Amino acid sequence: MKGHVEDRWWRKKKVDGKLVYTDTGRPVREKTDLFGKGDRYKVRYYDPDGKEKSKSFPDKELTRAKAFLTKMQHDVLSNEYVDPKAGELPFRAYTHEWRKGQSTDASTRQTVTSHLDNGIFPFLGDKSLRAVEKTETIRDWLDWMERPRSEGGRGLAASYRAVLFDMVSAILEAAWVDQRIRSNPCKTKSIKRPKPEQRKIVPWRESQVYQVKLALPAPQQVVVPLVAGLGLRQMEIFGFSPDDVDRGEMVANIQRQIRWIGNTPVFAPPKGGKTRLVPIGAGVLEEIDAHLASFEPVTVTLPWLEPGGRPVTARLLIRKPEGLQRLGARAASGMISGPEYNLAVWKPAFAAAGLNYIPRRDGMHGMRHFYASVALASGVSVKELAEYLGHHDPGYTLRIYTHLVPSSHRRAREAADEIFKPRRTGAARPENPKTA
């Protein structure tokens, strides 16, 4: 493969176009007009397309210049060539290009922007791709995310660090495909993805469900059967319409939620774009009908998916509580915002019920876990539960609720007894088996 190292400070002397030699037969060298100016050595080589490339090195670094030339020649021959200048692009600038090929959903774009601004760009944004490609850079970034703010870090939870790690890995994987870096450091054995904490779900007690329901303002009490009886997410509740109920089939069609794009509310499909049918019990339907007898649905028209999207109209079961009208810019829209609802309605209900509110356990999502625990205890399969909850994968549902799945030991023993029938009555039967 062609290529050479040029000495810009010295050249072979010529007289009348012929080289001049010393008495020992070596070419005589003379200074060039560039002597002492800038880098001394220039490596000239050719990329796989035959285009000449170059890289300069300072005085006294001839060995490094030769090593670079050898490496470039090897990379071209082995199809591993990456233009060294391609890695000079700042990580932030490349990410801007990467995002052009990602989801066009406004909510997803908003989430990606938040992740980048909060946990990625402050540390990696101004570094070059070549710098971010180094494993030590990724290690330093992981340490910075985990360190408390008091120690100059971000103090982020392991689950959020894992999300950010996956995003950076995806960006660097694209940079590798685009031949801007030689490898993705996030996939090396020496770099470990943050491991989210495995918290064991503790479902609410049935009495707690009723206590909170009675403590809520009357127009809001129906949210409890919608979560504890249908397993809806918070923003699916606020986007729920009585028209979504098929009374003949006794199912609820969960087909929309409210999302916020900045301070603008929009209608959108449920999380993951996955609509679903959920069996609705007669008691839950009675709760909805009782609510309708006292409170008229509110007809709302919102853009679909993003501001400026096609208008969609729905009769929503739950009106915006009056207390939210004085809480922030989002409240002025006339629609319900989750954080504001929690502050103005949900947490005060806990206090009114005499209950101690524990973050990450006692939010509205806690009643969704209650719904899951009741369903599993009643014999609903994990696959069916995943469909009712709108999970993307039954395996995900099983990982969350595996400790709540009723033991099948008793059923397995009875099945075996049908084949190998016991000859003695009550043989080998524990008096009070925990797994019965």
Side-chain angles (χ1 to χ4, degrees):
M1 180 62 65
K2 297 178 181 179
H4 66 279
V5 179
E6 173 190 355
D7 188 340
R8 298 172 63 253
W9 288 7
W10 292 89
R11 65 188 173 200
K12 294 177 181 179
K13 184 176 181 179
K14 290 184 179 180
V15 175
D16 296 331
K18 297 181 179 180
L19 291 174
V20 179
Y21 294 90
T22 65
D23 294 339
T24 59
R26 299 181 64 181
V28 175
R29 300 174 70 218
E30 63 179 358
K31 296 179 180 178
T32 68
D33 295 338
L34 298 175
F35 182 84
K37 301 176 183 178
D39 291 329
R40 177 174 178 178
Y41 301 106
K42 176 172 283 191
V43 179
R44 297 185 183 276
Y45 62 98
Y46 296 85
D47 68 12
D49 296 327
K51 296 180 180 178
E52 184 181 276
K53 302 285 184 178
S54 66
K55 181 177 174 64
S56 298
F57 292 82
D59 187 26
K60 300 181 181 180
E61 291 199 6
L62 177 61
T63 299
R64 193 159 73 92
K66 290 181 177 179
F68 176 80
L69 174 60
T70 300
K71 183 178 184 304
M72 292 299 102
Q73 291 172 330
H74 170 271
D75 289 351
V76 170
L77 291 172
S78 60
N79 294 320
E80 296 178 359
Y81 174 79
V82 174
D83 187 348
K85 293 183 179 180
E88 296 175 359
L89 187 68
F91 182 84
R92 188 193 308 269
Y94 179 77
T95 299
H96 176 72
E97 296 299 316
W98 168 79
R99 293 188 65 178
K100 292 179 181 179
Q102 304 307 302
S103 171
T104 57
D105 176 83
S107 178
T108 301
R109 292 198 306 268
Q110 180 175 258
T111 300
V112 169
T113 297
S114 175
H115 292 342
L116 290 169
D117 291 343
N118 290 333
I120 298 177
F121 282 164
F123 193 92
L124 300 175
D126 296 330
K127 298 182 187 300
S128 68
L129 285 172
R130 185 183 298 113
V132 177
E133 182 186 10
K134 298 178 180 178
T135 54
E136 54 265 36
T137 301
I138 298 299
R139 289 195 196 98
D140 290 343
W141 170 62
L142 291 172
D143 176 69
W144 172 79
M145 287 197 296
E146 184 175 6
R147 257 186 293 125
R149 286 184 177 271
S150 59
E151 299 177 12
R154 267 295 195 264
L156 302 177
S159 56
Y160 189 45
R161 298 200 308 272
V163 170
L164 299 181
F165 179 87
D166 290 342
M167 181 175 291
V168 168
S169 180
I171 296 170
L172 293 177
E173 189 71 10
W176 172 74
V177 171
D178 290 344
Q179 295 187 322
R180 288 188 173 275
I181 57 177
R182 293 176 58 84
S183 63
N184 179 357
C186 294
K187 292 193 172 182
T188 61
K189 293 183 178 179
S190 62
I191 299 294
K192 301 298 183 183
R193 180 180 184 269
K195 188 175 181 180
E197 302 172 9
Q198 296 297 322
R199 294 188 301 114
K200 183 175 286 189
I201 299 300
V202 179
W204 285 20
R205 303 181 309 277
E206 185 175 343
S207 60
Q208 186 178 0
V209 173
Y210 288 117
Q211 282 178 281
V212 172
K213 179 177 183 293
L214 293 174
L216 284 166
Q220 304 301 317
Q221 291 183 1
V222 73
V223 304
V224 173
L226 291 181
V227 188
L230 288 176
L232 304 193
R233 299 180 178 94
Q234 185 182 51
M235 301 313 289
E236 292 171 350
I237 293 171
F238 300 149
F240 184 80
S241 169
D243 302 327
D244 297 334
V245 177
D246 184 333
R247 293 173 180 267
E249 297 294 329
M250 291 297 286
V251 294
N253 182 14
I254 313 306
Q255 58 182 322
R256 83 182 68 76
Q257 65 170 320
I258 293 175
R259 281 182 180 169
W260 287 85
I261 310 301
N263 288 325
T264 302
V266 301
F267 281 139
K271 186 176 181 179
K274 188 174 182 180
T275 61
R276 63 191 190 275
L277 293 176
V278 181
I280 185 168
V284 173
L285 189 54
E286 287 179 3
E287 293 277 357
I288 293 174
D289 288 340
H291 177 85
L292 291 172
S294 300
F295 308 100
E296 282 290 326
V298 55
T299 300
V300 172
T301 300
L302 293 177
W304 185 252
L305 278 180
E306 57 183 281
R310 64 180 176 86
V312 172
T313 301
R315 293 194 316 139
L316 302 185
L317 186 66
I318 301 173
R319 290 177 174 268
K320 174 182 174 181
E322 294 182 0
L324 268 69
Q325 292 180 355
R326 61 177 183 276
L327 294 174
R330 286 187 172 185
S333 71
M335 295 305 301
I336 299 175
S337 164
E340 292 170 338
Y341 185 89
N342 295 337
L343 181 63
V345 179
W346 191 251
K347 289 184 180 180
F350 266 78
L355 298 172
N356 180 32
Y357 182 86
I358 300 177
R360 300 190 65 179
R361 190 197 73 177
D362 292 333
M364 293 177 71
H365 212 78
M367 284 196 300
R368 190 167 142 92
H369 296 320
F370 173 82
Y371 168 83
S373 68
V374 170
L376 290 171
S378 300
V380 174
S381 71
V382 171
K383 183 178 183 300
E384 291 171 322
L385 179 60
E387 293 175 358
Y388 302 157
L389 291 172
H391 287 168
H392 66 286
D393 174 25
Y396 173 78
T397 310
L398 182 60
R399 288 192 295 274
I400 296 176
Y401 299 116
T402 184
H403 62 292
L404 300 178
V405 177
S407 170
S408 60
H409 292 192
R410 178 179 58 79
R411 295 193 296 274
R413 283 196 296 269
E414 291 175 349
D417 284 349
E418 287 298 315
I419 301 173
F420 303 100
K421 299 185 182 300
R423 290 190 291 270
R424 290 178 295 149
T425 303
R429 287 285 193 271
E431 291 184 5
N432 185 25
K434 293 182 180 179
T435 56

